[in-house]
Amino acid sequence: MKTIFITGASSGLGKATAKLFASKGWKVIATMRNPERETELVHLDNITLLPLDVAQGEQIKSTIQKTLEFHDIDVVFNNAGYGLIGALEGYSDAQIERQLYTNFLGVVRVTQAFIPHFRAKKAGLFITTTSIGGLVSMPLDSIYHATKWALEGWSESMSFELGLHNIQIKTIAPGGIITDFGGRSIEVVEHPSYAGAIDQLMRLFNTDNFSTAEQIADIVYEAATDDKKQLRYVAGADAQALYNRRLEIGQDALHQEFKKTIFG
């Protein structure tokens, strides 16, 4: 029986992935900031809950150390993250730092902590939730995009050194996920100099084209089991359409399309 370690498993894609892998006979280590509040996963077979806030470096070390004392991990799914939306001049230092620590540095530190384990067994797989926002940029998401583009570039570079030890790394780049849209995975920062622009941005998103968390979890499972030497999985119809549009007309033309739509 294989084992997967998941961050950000309290809701959305993380929870759907935990449930899917458990149903497929995997052991699941589902981590979240407040596992004592979880009411669903706690009742499922093959799932162990552990506390983990990926913005806390010391907790990353202690939780992973505890995990490895009792479990042989085969796959690490770096999923914890959220979106910070708004104009840069409206962000506080604390908001910027939290976005960077959660979306990027948390992934780096979790991965770093597991590498010796995978290197010793000469096998292992890291999967990271990035975003279509790591391949295509929109207005008013600058720090969010910075973290997601960073993850894509970091993963591509990491694939070389990890490959020396038969360790793989893959990214899942979804578009909109229905259960997360407008929920706790998004933090909106308003600024009077950009009034109305965020409303225009939100109108770009057609939730009819969004994927369910379960649909994206299926792609995570595919990436974990297909044995392909594939780095990136663009996940969801909306993400694929947007990525194809960028490839078709080029980044500059797409930039102008977004500019006209949001700012006129």
Side-chain angles (χ1 to χ4, degrees):
M1 182 182 291
K2 289 190 173 183
T3 303
I4 183 171
F5 180 96
I6 302 174
T7 68
S10 63
S11 64
L13 177 56
K15 176 174 280 190
T17 300
K19 292 165 66 176
L20 176 61
F21 275 74
S23 74
K24 298 286 189 180
W26 286 57
K27 290 183 180 179
V28 176
I29 312 301
T31 71
M32 58 196 71
R33 284 181 294 176
N34 299 292
E36 68 279 1
R37 299 179 185 174
E38 176 57 39
T39 60
E40 184 178 7
L41 297 182
V42 69
H43 298 297
L44 299 181
D45 293 338
N46 299 332
I47 296 182
T48 299
L49 303 184
L50 289 176
L52 180 59
D53 180 347
V54 298
Q56 302 297 322
E58 289 305 313
Q59 191 179 43
I60 288 174
K61 293 177 183 178
S62 62
T63 296
I64 292 175
Q65 181 179 357
K66 180 178 179 180
T67 297
L68 293 176
E69 287 175 359
F70 298 100
H71 303 279
D72 179 15
I73 303 299
D74 299 285
V75 177
V76 172
F77 181 34
N78 283 306
N79 173 70
Y82 72 100
L84 181 63
I85 296 177
L88 178 63
E89 66 176 299
Y91 297 161
S92 67
D93 284 347
Q95 287 169 322
I96 293 171
E97 289 174 2
R98 178 171 174 256
Q99 181 82 136
L100 293 172
Y101 272 95
T102 302
N103 285 14
F104 181 64
L105 290 177
V107 174
V108 170
R109 287 168 168 169
V110 169
T111 300
Q112 187 180 43
F114 272 109
I115 289 174
H117 172 69
F118 283 167
R119 182 166 46 77
K121 63 188 287 186
K122 295 182 171 57
L125 170 63
F126 294 103
I127 302 175
T128 298
T129 301
T130 59
S131 168
I132 188 60
L135 303 169
V136 177
S137 295
M138 297 182 184
L140 302 172
D141 295 320
S142 61
I143 302 300
Y144 171 77
H145 284 303
T147 63
K148 296 302 185 178
W149 281 73
L151 286 174
E152 288 288 353
W154 171 80
S155 298
E156 190 167 327
S157 179
M158 284 297 298
S159 67
F160 294 105
E161 62 194 74
L162 293 176
L164 295 173
H165 304 286
N166 197 39
I167 305 167
Q168 278 193 275
I169 189 166
K170 299 183 175 186
T171 66
I172 306 293
I177 300 177
I178 293 171
T179 56
D180 288 343
F181 188 70
R184 60 181 170 177
S185 63
I186 295 178
E187 179 181 354
V188 179
V189 179
E190 300 281 0
H191 190 285
S193 296
Y194 305 87
I198 289 179
D199 291 338
Q200 287 296 109
L201 176 66
M202 291 302 183
R203 291 190 183 99
L204 283 179
F205 301 112
N206 182 357
T207 56
D208 291 340
N209 295 327
F210 281 12
S211 301
T212 65
E214 289 74 20
Q215 287 172 322
I216 304 302
D218 285 338
I219 298 175
V220 177
Y221 186 79
E222 175 188 343
T225 59
D226 63 10
D227 294 324
K228 290 182 180 179
K229 302 298 183 182
Q230 179 175 333
L231 173 65
R232 182 175 295 116
Y233 294 71
V234 178
D238 62 327
Q240 193 64 62
L242 188 55
Y243 189 49
N244 289 345
R245 182 64 172 165
R246 179 185 175 101
L247 296 177
E248 177 188 359
I249 68 174
Q251 65 178 18
D252 292 332
L254 186 61
H255 178 88
Q256 292 303 316
E257 283 189 358
F258 284 141
K259 182 178 179 181
K260 182 177 181 180
T261 300
I262 303 300
F263 301 110

